Amino acid sequence: MDTDCIIIGGGPSGMTSALYLLRSGKKVLLLEKEAFGGQIAESPRLENFPSIKSISGLEFSANLLEQIEALGVEYDLAEVTSIEKEGDIFTVKTNFGDEHHAKTVIIASGVKHRKLGIAREDELVGHGLSYCAVCDGDFFAGKDVVLIGDANTALQYALLLAGKCHHVQIATLFDHFFGDQILVDAIKKVPNISYEHNLSALRFLGDSELTGIEFENTQTKEKKTFACEGAFIAIGQVPDNERYSNLVDLEKGFIKTNEIMESKTPGLYAVGDCRVKNMRQVVTATNDGAIAAIAAANYLNTH
């Protein structure tokens, strides 16, 4: 057996799981497919985590990684392709052909960016189109950009981009914003941010590079085009859990767990945004991670 627990995903829930397991004296292997921190690492500001007035998502993630590194976590950058269980042992396979073995597994795989689903979306990513203003905002300094979205992430992105770009045009599908009122009030005070509601994206304009986006007003059916050199899509996230469906029950793609984060398979847990839950926030992700880690430690002590 390679380790006591394999954790799939290096976001706040996964790293908190590692923290509690390591402090319980267990060996932990953390597998992350892209970069540690998950979705929160893309957030310009985290301002609703208890005891922290304001911190960037990237700094928050770096602090958590440093904390578990000091406790001796083992980790690898690889994408998990499957989980199997034979007897009491789980086998976790990765895209590099590696196999890892443990008595417990915690799935903390988070979610992936929701796409608009219109033509040429994948083609234009990296050619004017992005899902992460924190990652790519600097590339559009001094330029006009369009931001599609209406909730907290979109509003935070708009404020971030306004400090870099010439103009930020927000387009929302519905007739109002869904973000916190403090963010809505903030964008209304920024002179180079404009917004328009009831707009559905129809098509991207431009050949090899994005030059604009055509929308349709959902009420009047009027067509409207915004010229831009960059566009950011922030319309939420979707789960990516089908690869685990042999061992877990899914509800609308999310993993069903009990109150100790255990799936239908003993020793297999799910935490954070990937599981069925009412609220997806950093504080609830870390809560899930702590609960699952304690449950996994107890499982290891009795099996």
Side-chain angles (χ1 to χ4, degrees), residues 173 196-200 202 214-225:
L173 181 61
E196 191 165 333
H197 298 306
N198 299 314
L199 293 179
S200 175
L202 294 180
E214 183 181 10
F215 292 88
E216 179 182 75
N217 186 292
T218 59
Q219 305 299 311
T220 66
K221 304 304 178 183
E222 176 189 359
K223 303 290 194 302
K224 184 163 191 175
T225 297

Side-chain angles (χ1 to χ4, degrees), residues 243-276:
R243 70 194 71 186
Y244 312 126
S245 61
N246 58 316
L247 294 176
V248 303
D249 287 330
L250 299 177
E251 180 180 307
K252 296 181 179 180
F254 294 95
I255 299 171
K256 296 175 70 173
T257 67
N258 59 21
E259 64 180 9
I260 63 167
M261 309 298 145
E262 190 174 44
S263 71
K264 70 175 184 180
T265 302
L268 178 60
Y269 306 84
V271 297
D273 289 356
C274 71
R275 78 177 190 93
V276 175

Side-chain angles (χ1 to χ4, degrees), residues 13-216:
S13 61
M15 288 197 283
T16 302
S17 295
L19 174 65
Y20 274 74
L21 278 162
L22 291 163
R23 288 177 59 86
S24 297
K26 308 304 181 186
K27 291 178 59 180
V28 175
L29 173 63
L30 185 61
L31 299 174
E32 166 56 45
K33 68 178 181 178
E34 292 177 348
F36 289 95
Q39 298 284 334
I40 195 60
E42 300 175 2
S43 177
R45 288 186 299 277
L46 173 60
E47 297 179 333
N48 59 359
F49 195 85
S51 83
I52 300 175
K53 184 176 181 180
S54 182
I55 190 173
S56 74
L58 189 60
E59 185 180 1
F60 177 83
S61 303
N63 289 346
L64 192 47
L65 178 59
E66 183 180 346
Q67 190 175 14
I68 61 174
E69 282 181 322
L71 292 171
V73 69
E74 296 180 11
Y75 56 82
D76 193 13
L77 288 175
E79 181 176 3
V80 171
T81 55
S82 67
I83 307 173
E84 299 171 359
K85 187 178 185 184
E86 185 173 347
D88 288 335
I89 304 300
F90 289 96
T91 298
V92 175
K93 298 180 181 180
T94 75
N95 58 326
F96 295 117
D98 298 325
E99 291 189 4
H100 303 284
H101 307 279
K103 278 192 173 183
T104 59
V105 173
I106 298 176
I107 301 172
S109 53
V111 288
K112 58 184 179 180
H113 293 293
R114 184 184 298 276
K115 297 182 178 181
L116 288 172
I118 62 178
R120 303 185 65 221
E121 185 169 358
D122 292 338
E123 176 187 341
L124 286 171
V125 171
H127 298 276
L129 188 60
S130 172
Y131 299 90
C132 178
V134 178
C135 313
D136 301 328
D138 286 344
F139 296 122
F140 301 94
K143 300 179 179 180
D144 293 337
V145 300
V146 172
L147 176 65
I148 301 174
D150 52 28
N152 282 344
T153 296
L155 299 180
Q156 288 182 328
Y157 280 4
L159 292 169
L160 174 69
L161 291 167
K164 307 173 184 289
C165 302
H166 175 257
H167 183 258
V168 179
Q169 174 66 53
I170 304 174
T172 78
L173 181 61
F174 300 101
D175 63 357
H176 64 283
F177 291 113
F178 291 89
D180 294 341
Q181 191 60 45
I182 191 171
L183 292 174
V184 176
D185 292 341
I187 68 163
K188 291 180 178 180
K189 296 176 182 177
V190 181
N192 64 330
I193 295 179
S194 302
Y195 60 89
E196 191 165 333
H197 298 306
N198 299 314
L199 293 179
S200 175
L202 294 180
R203 65 190 182 104
F204 297 112
L205 306 177
D207 296 324
S208 59
E209 297 290 329
L210 182 72
T211 60
I213 308 175
E214 183 181 10
F215 292 88
E216 179 182 75

